[in-house]
Amino acid sequence: MALVGLAAFLLAACGRAPGPNASAEVAMPEVFWNSATVYFLLTDRFHNGDPTNDRALGRAQDGAVLRSFQGGDLVGVLRKLEEGYFDALGVDALWLTPFVQQIHGSVDEGTGKTYGFHGYWTRDWTAVEPALGTAEDLRSLVDAAHRRGIRVLMDAVLNHTGPVTPEDPQWPDEWVRTGPRCVYRDYATTVDCTLVANLPDILTDRDDPVELPRLLTETWQEEGRLDQELAELDDFFERTGHPRAPRYYIIKWLTDWVREFGFDGYRMDTAKHIEEAVSAALKREAEQAFADWKEAHPDQVLDDLPFYMMGEVYNYELDHGRDFDFGDRTVDFFDYGYDGLINFGFKRDAAGSMDDLFARYSAALGDGELRGLAILNYISSHDDGAPYDPDRADPVGAGTRLLLAPGGAQIYYGDELARPLKAEGAQGDATLRSVMNWQDLERGGPTAEILDHWQKLGRFRRTHPAVGAGTHRRLQADPYIFSRTLETDDLVDRVLVAMDQGEGSKTIPVFGLFPDGTEMVDAYSGATGTVVDGRIALSSEYGLVLLGRSQ
Ligand SMILES: [Ca+2]
Ligand SMILES: [Ca+2]
């Protein structure tokens, strides 16, 4: 193992972040994001670090099962960050559900009385949701993540406001449409429509100037920041020359968080429900905001990796390549500011042969249509009712598939602890959003063993960008052995993964990947060995062996 790799491994093994990893290729952001492990969490459901904000805004705990705010907050995420929880998992980036202020009331969409705990029901894009904490809590969290070399993605919602409730008036008609409902037959019935009955859709296609809603001006007046907010908007419209149309107000508000806090990228919510040109406009402003933040905070800049925008184009999958089909029109979202898209096909693809999965993904990302672009794979998420392994029957095998697949890996909070995806009494997507099962981890036993597996694979991914971004090659069918090789101008990284090996002593052919005499550490067990006559002899209690070498 080369010194760089060894140092990174030892640091990672000690539970400390190795810092920005070797994959932070300036010229090749896709290498970083395809080898990245992104940890996605619902802030309200992860960890309660500050009980004083649990009843913010006087919201009641009268929602249906798992549909009220549950107490998790930004300070809770910070605590876990400081404990080294994410470092130990090899996490490269955090993706938090939206933190902007949510509707104060609740609605029932047919799955029970629900509050905006999930963050997708915006009331005020300029304020932090008080149940999640304060702007200072958010700053502390982003700064602490950056100090550990972990990036933070902001979940950005531009398509809709929150639902209308007795406490949350509808935005003016110049801002939103309240019908028709989307029926997804073609482009217009996907974009110019409301996702559900009571979810006003921002008129993202209109250029007519609009005034601010009274809801906002009155609130800002009470909070003593009206003049500042208005002055900032004047500056924004003057600088950009954009019309005072709804989408540009929101672009201003969304990019302010980047400019002030240094978010490294967006996860764009409901990306296929806004005109792709709107995404492109947002990206341009976000890049400017990120550059402004870097200039103002030179000591906090991690590296030259550009601002990243990843889209939730619901039902997009790797096999679609660059064309997403609306029925009457295809759109190449990668042409409109998106560097990466969430891969909704992984959960199904993962059910087949592991080598078919790996080979197909490697080919698509390596020399195929997606060359130079990024995807994000997942096995479960907050709104996918058909996750891989819904019963958590094999959380170890799920981790193997997700974390060893080419492409970025999204760990949805609790994948690594087999947090149940079925919650008694919960209706609809609430069942996917239970409170993090820290108590199972504290009990040790099987949950701790599952986490240990995910941690080892996650750190291997982080240390070796070839795992997610390298070229896949099957070396042996049975027992299965494969390699990944990544060669860039600055780095040559090679890994070999052997599965289904016997417990105890084993001799593994390395197929010329590592020269004779190479001393190696198995990243899964910590066992050491030396390559002799094209083979390495190791002893460990595991069937999985992870070998890697960077130059
Ligand atoms: Ca709390
Ligand atoms: Ca829309």
Side-chain angles (χ1 to χ4, degrees), residues 158-159 186-188 190-192 204-205 247-248 251 268-284 309 311-313 322-326 328-339 341:
L158 203 159
N159 177 63
D186 52 21
Y187 190 85
T190 303
V191 176
D192 307 329
T204 48
D205 54 337
R247 66 184 180 281
Y248 291 117
I251 285 175
M268 268 316 284
D269 183 62
T270 45
K272 75 177 182 188
H273 302 287
I274 56 175
E275 295 77 7
E276 55 277 15
V278 176
S279 297
L282 172 69
K283 176 73 174 304
R284 282 192 295 274
M309 192 161 84
E312 181 218 18
V313 176
R322 298 194 61 151
D323 291 324
F324 183 79
D325 190 359
F326 283 88
D328 59 339
R329 181 192 305 188
T330 60
V331 170
D332 178 356
F333 283 89
F334 294 108
D335 255 356
Y336 291 90
Y338 289 101
D339 309 289
L341 293 179

Side-chain angles (χ1 to χ4, degrees), residues 4 26 46 74 96 110 142 145 149 171 207 219 264 266 284 301 328 372 383 410 446 470 495 499 508 510 542 549:
V4 169
V26 175
F46 189 64
L74 297 163
L96 316 172
V142 177
W171 286 51
D207 285 326
T219 304
D264 304 276
Y266 288 141
R284 282 192 295 274
V301 174
D328 59 339
D383 55 7
Q410 166 198 313
V495 299
M499 297 187 189
I508 299 161
V510 301
Y542 306 107
R549 187 170 190 241

Side-chain angles (χ1 to χ4, degrees), residues 8-27:
F9 172 78
L10 290 174
L11 282 164
C14 297
R16 299 290 304 172
N21 73 14
S23 65
E25 299 291 316
V26 175

Side-chain angles (χ1 to χ4, degrees), residues 10-84:
L10 290 174
L11 282 164
C14 297
R16 299 290 304 172
N21 73 14
S23 65
E25 299 291 316
V26 175
M28 301 180 75
E30 76 276 17
V31 170
F32 181 86
W33 290 106
N34 278 328
S35 60
T37 300
V38 178
Y39 194 93
F40 170 37
L41 62 89
L42 270 79
T43 305
D44 177 62
R45 301 293 156 91
F46 189 64
H47 183 49
N48 190 351
D50 179 6
T52 67
N53 57 26
D54 290 0
R55 297 297 168 97
L57 298 171
R59 292 191 189 97
Q61 293 286 307
D62 58 353
V65 174
L66 289 171
R67 290 185 175 276
S68 296
F69 279 85
Q70 302 287 313
D73 46 38
L74 297 163
V75 172
V77 180
L78 175 62
R79 296 267 181 279
K80 291 297 172 185
L81 187 74
E82 288 172 335
E83 285 173 18

Side-chain angles (χ1 to χ4, degrees), residues 1-6 9 22 460 463-467 484-487 491-497 510 512-523 531 536 546-551:
M1 183 180 273
L3 278 178
V4 169
L6 181 61
F9 172 78
F460 188 60
T463 309
H464 291 288
V467 175
R484 300 265 165 80
T485 304
L486 176 69
E487 293 186 33
L491 172 82
V492 177
D493 188 34
R494 295 188 180 91
V495 299
L496 181 147
V497 175
V510 301
L513 198 68
F514 311 116
D516 281 358
T518 309
E519 293 176 23
M520 308 203 78
V521 180
D522 168 18
V531 180
I536 187 165
L546 307 174
L547 301 173
R549 187 170 190 241
S550 304
Q551 288 169 303

